[in-house]
Amino acid sequence: MKRMIACCLFLVLTLFGCAETKNTQYYMMDTVMTFSLTGERAADAERAIADRVAHLETVFSPTREDSELFRVNQNSGSRMEVSSDFAKLLELSLHAETLGAFDVTLGGAVELWSQGKVPANETLEAQVTGCEKVSLSENTIQTEKGLKLNFGAVAKGYASDCAKEILEDYEIPRALLSLGGNLYAHGVKEDGTPWNIGVRDPWGEAQDWLGILQAENEFIIASGDYERGFEENGVRYHHILDPKTRRPAESDLRETVVVSKNGSRGDILSTALFVMGKEKAVDYWKSMRDFEMILVSSDGRILITPGLAARFTLSQDSYILEVIE
Ligand code: AMP
Ligand code: MG
């Protein structure tokens, strides 16, 4: 009898495949990443994703002295060959079309603000920035002497695009990948319903949700003033810079959430919309309409695009939800 049961079990597993769930956590690209994958080849796919992200860190890290970006920044002013990942993401970044709100050439200013104190005006103004000072032809790059690139606002989005491709190659039916503020919800939950994604409350702690968003097969990417920064003389300085001033953007938003079918683009947008501020961000969305967003305004109002309205539930009554027309 036992043998019969074992045989039946073997038959069932062979017929339907043996779906396993693989959960892992890493610290990569300067952030905590958690991967959860379910499927017959979950372990192999997870390994491939972790390896790919670890490799991308060696390409885009601004601080690792062995990274490709570090080498490019050190050798500004001369012509260099770059990898295809580098060329691809630089090309996308140079043509981001965000009304100047996202700027991949802010590397020098980003570095100054990362030191935990307010930089001197002269030092900040002396930084060489501007997309017109970068030329890229296939895999050959030349930047103006002194210019530093920084992919902090887009590299994790690019990594999540690469991870999505791996999930598809390995035919993984469902997965939830969190790369810091960049989430990718692949497929749906086992019961066939969408994933529930918590949207961070910028006034709360890391585990406090403003609301829950239902998502499937899309990227959910958040930027906010709560993420990184420092305090000096009672003033908080966050990490998202306005390219015009090279200082933390004086935005009337506290958080932006972009829902997109493309991780890199979504990551660029989450940062850019924050810099634009509420009014410009809403106008920008109206002119594009190829992504969805949630804007959390400093006055506690939450603006949401119509495509998300039916699948976002506020967790707290104190906020006012408004649907953008
Ligand atoms: P995110 O968390 O995606 O909004 O990206 C913020 C990070 O991108 C910062 O920590 C900086 O490294 C970099 N950054 C800050 N401001 C900008 C900007 N306006 N354009 C491009 N990158 C930026
Ligand atoms: Mg971003």
Side-chain angles (χ1 to χ4, degrees):
M1 186 63 185
K2 269 189 190 158
R3 251 183 93 158
M4 240 176 84
I5 293 171
C7 281
C8 288
L9 196 64
F10 177 75
L11 200 67
V12 168
L13 290 178
T14 320
L15 283 177
F16 295 102
C18 183
E20 62 166 317
T21 297
K22 181 89 183 161
N23 295 307
T24 49
Q25 188 174 68
Y26 302 92
Y27 191 82
M28 290 192 287
M29 299 179 104
D30 212 18
T31 194
V32 176
M33 302 196 175
T34 55
F35 304 149
S36 176
L37 295 76
T38 302
E40 279 173 63
R41 301 169 72 199
D44 292 343
E46 192 282 331
R47 194 63 259 147
I49 290 172
D51 288 349
R52 184 83 172 100
V53 179
H55 171 71
L56 291 174
E57 182 177 285
T58 70
V59 177
F60 295 115
S61 168
T63 49
R64 275 179 62 162
E65 295 190 6
D66 60 346
S67 80
E68 189 173 358
L69 175 62
F70 198 87
R71 174 178 64 87
V72 167
N73 286 343
Q74 287 287 97
N75 292 293
S76 63
S78 45
R79 276 164 72 85
M80 283 165 278
E81 287 293 304
V82 289
S83 66
S84 56
D85 281 318
F86 196 105
K88 211 164 138 184
L89 193 55
L90 179 60
E91 174 80 24
L92 189 76
S93 301
L94 291 173
H95 302 104
E97 291 180 6
T98 59
L99 313 170
F102 166 89
D103 186 346
V104 71
T105 70
L106 277 179
V110 168
E111 208 173 284
L112 289 173
W113 285 101
S114 308
Q115 285 162 13
K117 57 179 189 316
V118 177
N121 268 338
E122 316 79 73
T123 329
L124 209 50
E125 277 159 25
Q127 298 308 309
V128 181
T129 67
C131 292
E132 70 289 352
K133 293 174 184 148
V134 183
S135 69
L136 177 73
S137 172
E138 292 184 0
N139 281 24
T140 306
I141 179 186
Q142 175 144 26
T143 57
E144 199 169 282
K145 184 103 191 112
L147 185 137
K148 286 185 177 170
L149 298 167
N150 182 287
F151 293 91
V154 60
K156 290 192 280 285
Y158 180 71
S160 60
D161 277 330
C162 297
K164 178 195 172 194
E165 271 176 32
I166 294 171
L167 291 176
E168 286 169 354
D169 289 349
Y170 282 80
E171 297 177 350
I172 298 298
R174 74 184 117 266
L176 202 56
L177 309 179
S178 166
L179 294 82
N182 291 243
L183 234 127
Y184 174 56
H186 182 67
V188 289
K189 284 191 295 180
E190 196 156 10
D191 63 5
T193 61
W195 298 101
N196 293 316
I197 309 296
V199 173
R200 164 114 188 232
D201 179 351
W203 286 275
E205 299 299 320
Q207 67 286 351
D208 294 330
W209 305 136
L210 196 73
I212 302 290
L213 180 73
Q214 296 194 315
E216 59 183 87
N217 291 319
E218 56 204 346
F219 297 86
I220 305 97
I221 299 144
S223 286
D225 63 10
Y226 49 83
E227 276 182 67
R228 287 162 205 253
F230 63 90
E231 225 180 272
E232 192 176 290
N233 297 328
V235 181
R236 198 183 128 72
Y237 298 89
H238 63 75
H239 69 132
I240 303 177
L241 307 182
D242 183 339
K244 287 200 193 83
T245 61
R246 303 171 181 185
R247 296 174 173 280
E250 288 181 17
S251 181
D252 56 358
L253 298 172
R254 291 218 56 201
E255 182 180 8
T256 51
V257 180
V258 170
V259 178
S260 166
K261 293 286 176 195
N262 182 290
S264 313
R265 179 80 187 144
D267 201 0
I268 287 177
L269 287 175
S270 70
T271 310
L273 296 169
F274 184 93
V275 174
M276 287 179 201
K278 190 166 57 190
E279 217 179 290
K280 262 194 169 173
V282 169
D283 289 346
Y284 184 81
W285 177 79
K286 285 183 178 169
S287 70
M288 308 299 272
R289 292 183 190 261
D290 59 347
F291 65 95
E292 303 288 341
M293 67 178 184
I294 301 174
L295 304 178
V296 185
S297 164
S298 324
D299 60 10
R301 284 161 62 207
I302 298 166
L303 279 74
I304 190 166
T305 48
L308 295 186
R311 50 194 181 101
F312 180 68
T313 316
L314 266 182
S315 320
Q316 305 182 39
D317 302 334
S318 48
Y319 298 114
I320 304 159
L321 195 61
E322 290 171 31
V323 180
I324 303 166
E325 297 301 330

